[in-house]
Amino acid sequence: DKILSSPNVGVCRRCHEKIEWRKKYRKYKPRTQPGKCNVCMKRNVKAAYHTICRDCAVGDRANASVVANAAIGGGNGGRS
């Protein structure tokens, strides 16, 4: 029940729905250790299913779950 009550902020509507689906059907797995941010490369991503930290998401006004910004990720999924 702790997982169900955890906040789900800093993501777009689609990502919010995906995370809520995981919570609803008990597929959500919280992080056990902080993850690495794809922008600042520091280990301070504490939320599950997020790829950038809260500070970078607020500063760049980006989605914390999926980074589709051309300046950050190239916009083509790593393909040339």
Side-chain angles (χ1 to χ4, degrees), residues 51-73:
T51 57
I52 62 176
C53 63
R54 183 181 304 259
D55 296 335
C56 292
V58 170
D60 295 341
R61 294 186 52 165
N63 184 357
S65 181
V66 179
V67 180
N69 189 349
I72 296 172

Side-chain angles (χ1 to χ4, degrees), residues 23-41:
K23 288 179 182 180
K24 181 178 177 181
Y25 292 103
R26 307 284 196 226
K27 301 288 183 182
Y28 186 90
K29 292 185 179 183
R31 280 192 194 264
T32 56
Q33 296 180 342
K36 193 175 193 180
C37 175
N38 287 340
V39 177
C40 65
M41 299 301 169

